[in-house]
Structures are given as C-alpha cells and as structure tokens.
Amino acid sequence: MLEALSPVLGRVVSGVYILTARHNDQETGMLSSWVMQAGFEPPMLTAAIRKGRYIEQWLSAGALFAINVLAEGQTKMLRHFGAGFEPHEPAFEGLAVSRTAAGVPFLDEAPGYLECRPVSHVDSGDHRIILAEIIGGRMSEELKPMIHIRKNGLRY
C-alpha cells in the first residue's frame, strides 16, 4: 500500500531551505525542505525536523532560528549542508554568515531569510513539526527559489 502512494507523495512540491540556529554558545545549520507558511497575522510557518536530531531539541526548547531561502542553482549550499553536522562541528566554515540582533545566524548568500521564534510543536510520526512566529527577515535578491520534487515520498 505505502509503495503505491510513494510516487504521488513524492510529487508534493516543497522548497529548499537552510535552517540555521543558535542555542546557547552553539550554532548550526541543516538542509530543510519541509517548511510551509502557516498564518498571516501574525506571520507563522512550520518546519518539520526528524526526531532525535539535536537541532530538533534546540527548537523544541525555544531556540530562535532562521529559514534561509535558496535560489535555483545554489547547489554549493546543498552540498555543504547535505550531510549534516555534529553538535560541536563548525557548520558555517567557508561561508559568509551574519547574525540578527538576537544572534541568529543567517547566510549572506541566500536571497532571503526569515527569523523565527518557536511557539509550539506537535509530533508527526518520525518528525516533529515546529510552529514558529516570523519575527524578522529580509529579501536581498529577487531570484527564483529552488524547489524539490522527490521520486519517492517515503524517504529524503
């Protein structure tokens, strides 16, 4: 049954983002595609994070984060963040990074970012859905966003 659903589920289009976060004195980033706007007033979004990832624990505890929008062709970012990072491994080595007034890292090469504050979460199978209020951000370039269409909807 699941295998029959897999090709259809994989065609649910998503964007491609780099989620960056700071927790205490640690910073990291990860590739993220399950991000969606979830409200207008106030502006909200959701991000799905696989359970057990240390960044999921940070966000569940309320750590601020940024969603960095990637543009078509920014494959260097995919390669850089694709494998993930261990908790004390430097995630931003070789990249230009700035920080918001609250200290949240964002990628200078991204055409835009949204600064977010988690307000709630819900477990969804093997992922945790973080509901966050958008508290800042900016668009620096009008570029076509990168999208992701999977052939198999049952794995990344």
Side-chain angles (χ1 to χ4, degrees), residues 14 16 34 39 42 45 53 58 67 70 73 81 84 97-98 102 110 125 149 153:
S14 60
V16 181
W34 291 352
L45 63 73
R53 293 187 75 156
W58 292 7
I67 296 294
L70 292 187
F81 289 98
V97 175
S98 295
I149 301 171

Side-chain angles (χ1 to χ4, degrees), residues 29-85:
M30 63 170 270
L31 188 60
S32 182
S33 62
W34 291 352
V35 173
M36 178 172 280
Q37 185 173 348
F40 290 123
E41 190 57 42
M44 306 284 282
L45 63 73
T46 60
I49 313 293
R50 182 179 286 279
K51 288 181 185 175
R53 293 187 75 156
Y54 67 92
I55 198 166
E56 173 255 323
Q57 296 166 3
W58 292 7
L59 302 185
S60 295
L64 300 179
F65 66 98
I67 296 294
N68 297 266
V69 177
L70 292 187
E72 279 186 348
Q74 285 192 301
T75 55
K76 173 184 149 192
M77 291 290 185
L78 294 179
R79 287 190 302 274
H80 183 89
F81 289 98
F85 298 94

Side-chain angles (χ1 to χ4, degrees), residues 23-141:
H23 180 65
N24 298 325
D25 63 343
Q26 293 182 281
E27 296 182 327
T28 197
M30 63 170 270
L31 188 60
S32 182
S33 62
W34 291 352
V35 173
M36 178 172 280
Q37 185 173 348
F40 290 123
E41 190 57 42
M44 306 284 282
L45 63 73
T46 60
I49 313 293
R50 182 179 286 279
K51 288 181 185 175
R53 293 187 75 156
Y54 67 92
I55 198 166
E56 173 255 323
Q57 296 166 3
W58 292 7
L59 302 185
S60 295
L64 300 179
F65 66 98
I67 296 294
N68 297 266
V69 177
L70 292 187
E72 279 186 348
Q74 285 192 301
T75 55
K76 173 184 149 192
M77 291 290 185
L78 294 179
R79 287 190 302 274
H80 183 89
F81 289 98
F85 298 94
E86 294 299 318
H88 292 286
E89 192 175 1
F92 305 125
E93 202 166 87
L95 299 176
V97 175
S98 295
R99 284 163 187 76
T100 68
V104 178
F106 64 91
L107 305 171
D108 293 345
E109 290 182 50
Y113 77 92
L114 298 168
E115 183 179 15
C116 304
R117 180 180 57 240
V119 296
S120 183
H121 62 267
V122 62
D123 290 340
S124 176
D126 56 359
H127 282 68
R128 176 161 283 177
I129 311 299
I130 305 294
L131 176 64
E133 181 178 356
I134 300 166
I135 58 173
R138 77 158 197 245
M139 186 75 158
S140 56
E141 283 188 86

